[in-house]
Amino acid sequence: MQGTQGSDQQAGGGGTGRRALLGAAVLGAAGGVLGLSGTAGAAEAAPSRSGSGRGGGLRSLPVPTIIGHRGASGYRPEHTFGSYELALDLGADIVEAGDLVPTRDGHLVCRHEPEIGGTTDVAEHPEFAARRTTKVLDGVPTTGWFTEDFTLAELKTLRAVERIPANRPHNTLYNGRWEIPTFEEVLKWQDEQTRKRGKQVWIYPETKHPTYFRKLGLGLEERVAKLLHRHGKDRRNSPVVLQSFEPTSLQRLDKLVDNPLAVLLSTADSRPWDFVETGDPRTVADLITRAGLREIAGYAQGIGPTLDLVIPKDAAGNLTEPTTLVKDAHAVGLVLHPYTMRNENLFLPADFRKGTDADGYGDPFGAFRTYFATGIDGVFTDNPDTGVLARADFVNG
C-alpha cells in the first residue's frame, strides 16, 4: 500500500454485522502461528481479550495483529510467492497478498503499482521496449510499463525484482526467481497453505487506483467479487479483508461481497483520488474527525492509517504525542491497522534510529512498543518476525 486515493456516502447493507465481526479483532484471542521457533512462541503469547477465543473469523487472530506488508518484503522482492510464504514462516497473522491491478485482458495480478518498471525485469525484454510510455496516474505523470498494456500471458514471461535495491541490496539476490502472481493464484495458494500449515491463512488484498482503472473499462471491484464468489470467500467470516485508498471502491465492494472492509488513509492533507475526481473537497483530516469516522463505519469495519496519523512527528522526525484517532475510531466500532513498520533507520522515527547508516537497522522494537501502546489493533510491517517478537515483548512486559 502507499499513496492517496473517496466517497459517496452509503449506509451499506449488512455493514453492522460485518463491523461487529471485524470489531471482534479487538477482542481477539491468541492463535498459534507456525513459523520459526523464536516467532512461534511470540505469536502464542499474544493476548486473549475475549477469554475463550472461540467463534472463528478474526477472533482467531492474535492482537495486535501482525500483517506481512506485501509479504515479507524486508527480505524478498515484494508481491511474490517467495515473499508471501516467508511472511507466514516468520509468523505473520495476515499476508497483504496483494495490491490488485488488471491486465489488458482483464485478469487481476499482484503488483505494488500498475507501473512495473521498478518491480519486474520488463526493461530487459526488448520485445516490450516500445510499450514504455508516460501516463497520468491519479494526477501524476508516470513513465514506464503498465500492466493494463500487457496480456496475462505476456506478464507471465516477466520476473519480479527488488523495488528498492539501494535500500535492500541483499534482496536483489532473489531477483528473477519468481513470476507475477494472479489474484486467483493467490486464492488457491491461500487454500494450499492453510492445508499445509494446519491453520487458516488470512490475506488482505487492496484495490489499486480503482477510479483510474474504471475509466479504462477495467473495473476492479466486480472482478474481485467474482473471484471471491467463485472460491467461496465472499462472506463475513471469510479470511479475506479488502482495503482501498478510495472509499467509493469499498462502498462498491460493500454491495457486492460481505467481506470485512478497511479504508486506507494517507497524510492528513491528502485527498483520496476519487474525491478529487468527483469534486469532493474533503481531505483525510476530514475523514478522521468523529463525523468522518462515523461515515466510514457506515460501510467499512476498519481503517488503515499511516502511522503519522496515530503519532505525529516533529520537524526533526521524532515522535510526539499520540492523537485521539485510536480512541475515536474505536468509539464507532472501527479497528485500526496502520502502516508501515520497517526495520531500517531510513524508515524509522528519528528517535529510534541507530548510527548513521540509512539502511542499517535501528530500534524497531522500541518503535513497535510505542505504537502498540496507543491501542492499535494491528500493524503492517515489512519484517513480520520483528513484529511478532515485538508483540511478545509488549504483551509480556
Side-chain angles (χ1 to χ4, degrees):
M1 76 177 60
Q2 182 175 324
T4 59
Q5 301 265 14
S7 120
D8 300 325
Q9 185 171 357
Q10 180 231 331
T16 302
R18 292 204 310 279
R19 185 159 63 254
L21 169 73
L22 192 56
V26 183
L27 304 174
V33 175
L34 300 179
L36 304 181
S37 58
T39 61
E44 290 162 3
S48 174
R49 299 186 187 175
S50 65
S52 68
R54 296 176 182 174
L58 283 165
R59 285 184 179 274
S60 66
L61 296 173
V63 175
T65 304
I66 303 302
I67 305 159
H69 186 232
R70 308 176 201 157
S73 53
Y75 312 114
R76 300 289 187 273
E78 64 193 31
H79 286 314
T80 61
F81 283 121
S83 183
Y84 297 161
E85 290 186 19
L86 183 59
L88 295 177
D89 292 342
L90 297 179
D93 306 308
I94 310 180
V95 179
E96 190 192 26
D99 293 335
L100 304 180
V101 292
T103 65
R104 186 172 70 195
D105 47 351
H107 296 277
L108 294 177
V109 296
C110 303
R111 288 290 85 192
H112 172 48
E113 290 288 340
E115 198 291 301
I116 55 174
T119 61
T120 74
D121 61 0
V122 64
E124 300 174 15
H125 287 251
E127 68 273 26
F128 299 135
R131 298 195 199 176
R132 189 172 187 270
T133 187
T134 298
K135 301 189 180 189
V136 179
L137 185 62
D138 290 3
V140 179
T142 304
T143 299
W145 292 262
F146 295 80
T147 59
E148 66 267 25
D149 295 332
F150 291 78
T151 65
L152 177 59
E154 289 172 333
L155 285 180
K156 283 295 187 179
T157 68
L158 307 180
R159 293 296 178 266
V161 301
E162 171 56 37
R163 184 176 62 88
I164 48 174
N167 302 113
R168 292 173 173 165
H170 296 296
N171 290 10
T172 63
L173 174 66
Y174 304 98
N175 284 356
R177 183 169 290 271
W178 293 289
E179 62 181 31
I180 298 173
T182 68
F183 185 44
E184 183 150 37
E185 288 169 345
V186 164
L187 294 172
K188 294 176 180 177
W189 168 87
Q190 180 185 23
D191 292 338
E192 292 166 359
Q193 292 296 313
T194 295
R195 289 191 296 269
K196 174 182 175 182
R197 296 170 188 270
K199 66 167 299 221
Q200 180 62 62
V201 168
W202 283 74
I203 61 173
Y204 214 137
E206 175 187 346
T207 57
K208 299 289 293 193
H209 306 289
T211 295
Y212 169 81
F213 283 119
R214 186 162 293 277
K215 283 188 169 184
L216 296 179
L218 292 167
L220 300 179
E221 296 82 7
E222 294 82 3
R223 288 172 167 81
V224 170
K226 181 178 180 180
L227 288 171
L228 291 176
H229 179 72
R230 180 184 301 168
H231 290 268
K233 297 180 181 181
D234 58 344
R235 302 156 193 165
R236 68 175 189 174
N237 286 321
S238 297
V240 181
V241 185
L242 302 172
Q243 56 178 334
S244 182
F245 279 101
E246 296 191 19
T248 54
S249 181
L250 295 178
Q251 291 168 356
R252 185 171 279 111
L253 283 166
D254 186 47
K255 297 177 181 178
L256 298 172
V257 296
D258 207 31
N259 299 73
L261 308 174
V263 177
L264 297 171
L265 300 166
S266 188
T267 57
D269 60 351
S270 66
R271 290 169 67 198
W273 185 250
D274 49 349
F275 282 21
V276 175
E277 287 280 340
T278 60
D280 189 327
R282 290 178 298 167
T283 65
V284 166
D286 297 307
L287 295 182
I288 59 175
T289 63
R290 291 181 180 180
L293 291 169
R294 281 195 300 272
E295 179 183 330
I296 289 174
Y299 59 88
Q301 294 71 49
I303 57 173
T306 177
L307 285 164
D308 286 348
L309 295 178
V310 177
I311 309 181
K313 298 187 184 79
D314 63 20
N318 297 303
L319 294 183
T320 60
E321 292 298 311
T323 67
T324 63
L325 180 58
V326 174
K327 176 174 65 79
D328 293 342
H330 284 170
V332 296
L334 294 169
V335 300
L336 296 90
H337 291 159
Y339 65 93
T340 305
M341 272 297 301
R342 299 176 169 103
N343 286 0
E344 294 92 350
N345 279 320
L346 179 67
F347 304 114
L348 287 169
D351 35 346
F352 293 100
R353 296 172 186 164
K354 290 184 177 180
T356 58
D357 183 355
D359 302 318
Y361 279 10
D363 176 22
F365 290 110
F368 270 111
R369 180 172 59 249
T370 303
Y371 288 120
F372 287 159
T374 66
I376 60 174
D377 305 292
V379 66
F380 287 82
T381 177
D382 289 7
N383 309 90
D385 52 338
T386 308
V388 169
L389 290 170
R391 176 177 63 196
D393 292 344
F394 176 72
V395 302
N396 292 326

